Amino acid sequence: MAQTICRTCGTQYPDPARLPDLCPICADDRQYVGDDGQTWTSLDELAKDRTIRFSRLTDRLYDLRITPAFAIGQRAFLIRSEGGNILWDCLPFLDPPTTAFIRSLGGLKAIAISHPHYFSLMAEWTETFDCPVYIHENDRQWVMNPTDRVEYWSGPRQPLWDGIIVVNTGGHFPGSCVLHLPDETGHFLLTGDSIYVTRDRKSVTFMYSYPNLIPLPKREIEQIRDRLDGFSFDRIYGAFEDQNIEADGRAIFDQSIRRYLQIFE
Ligand SMILES: [Zn+2]
Ligand SMILES: [Zn+2]
């Protein structure tokens, strides 16, 4: 199979004959080009020694990770809901056992992705599950493998079904989003890199670039604060496996915003 997947970020490109010299996602200062320069791989090559592992976090929430890890190493989330299941964020891999497992839980009604670092293999996933993928209009330029299944949305919020809402926070990318989910045991947020859970899980942070440690200007932090005004949530799940905040998420978020804004005083 053609080598069209960037090894550093996991973004898939449509045409092996027209690959860029450098993957634009990696050439951007919110990512980096690997130490060996630009290299490519294929789904077949990845399938030789990789699979996707599911962990059940609650009755309705699973996280999915490629193992052994590949590219950025983010997780995606499968949320089961009465009106249909949703995949939050995406992975640069998909294999038949993963497809079969998700189908056994009812398939996918839609995919929603927090930002371009996790667009990855979205064309493959939307095709397999015959569903739309929600991407914020502000990040349209970063879609490297366009498909007519992309639903570009605009504005601060996109309500889905069963009270599930995609919220555009901006910050990391202009189209960066989080997913807010109502739940009987406490509402929760899936945040990608839009809200980044820190190592001790007692705070969150917000960066323009995580690998290059470039902070955000004040106006972006204020926008993130304002876009989440009025939402209640207890739990926060970031993009990586050690990023689960199990309680007091709203207070942790508010405190973290206040501390960030103090820097500008
Ligand atoms: Zn890349
Ligand atoms: Zn990112």
Side-chain angles (χ1 to χ4, degrees), residues 44-88:
D44 281 352
E45 198 177 311
L46 291 172
K48 285 180 191 162
D49 59 357
R50 282 185 171 81
T51 186
I52 292 179
R53 201 173 76 206
F54 284 75
S55 304
R56 188 171 161 280
L57 300 172
T58 70
D59 282 350
R60 57 180 303 216
L61 181 66
Y62 294 78
D63 76 5
L64 292 67
R65 270 174 277 148
I66 299 174
T67 174
F70 169 65
I72 296 176
Q74 78 271 17
R75 52 185 176 171
F77 292 87
L78 175 69
I79 305 101
R80 303 181 70 185
S81 196
E82 229 159 72
N85 300 336
I86 183 164
L87 186 81
W88 172 248

Side-chain angles (χ1 to χ4, degrees), residues 153-198:
W153 61 281
S154 56
R157 292 176 186 192
Q158 174 68 49
L160 297 178
W161 58 92
D162 295 346
I164 302 169
I165 301 175
V166 196
V167 182
N168 171 231
T169 56
H172 183 42
F173 275 83
S176 279
C177 298
V178 300
L179 192 67
H180 184 263
L181 299 110
D183 193 78
E184 287 161 11
T185 60
H187 303 341
F188 61 100
L189 277 188
L190 305 179
T191 61
D193 294 346
S194 311
I195 298 174
Y196 193 93
V197 176
T198 61

Side-chain angles (χ1 to χ4, degrees), residues 1-7 11-13 15-17 19 39-46 48:
M1 192 187 259
Q3 306 255 320
T4 53
I5 301 171
C6 172
R7 274 188 189 275
T11 300
Q12 187 181 42
Y13 288 76
D15 185 354
L19 290 173
T39 54
W40 304 96
T41 186
S42 67
L43 206 42
D44 281 352
E45 198 177 311
L46 291 172
K48 285 180 191 162

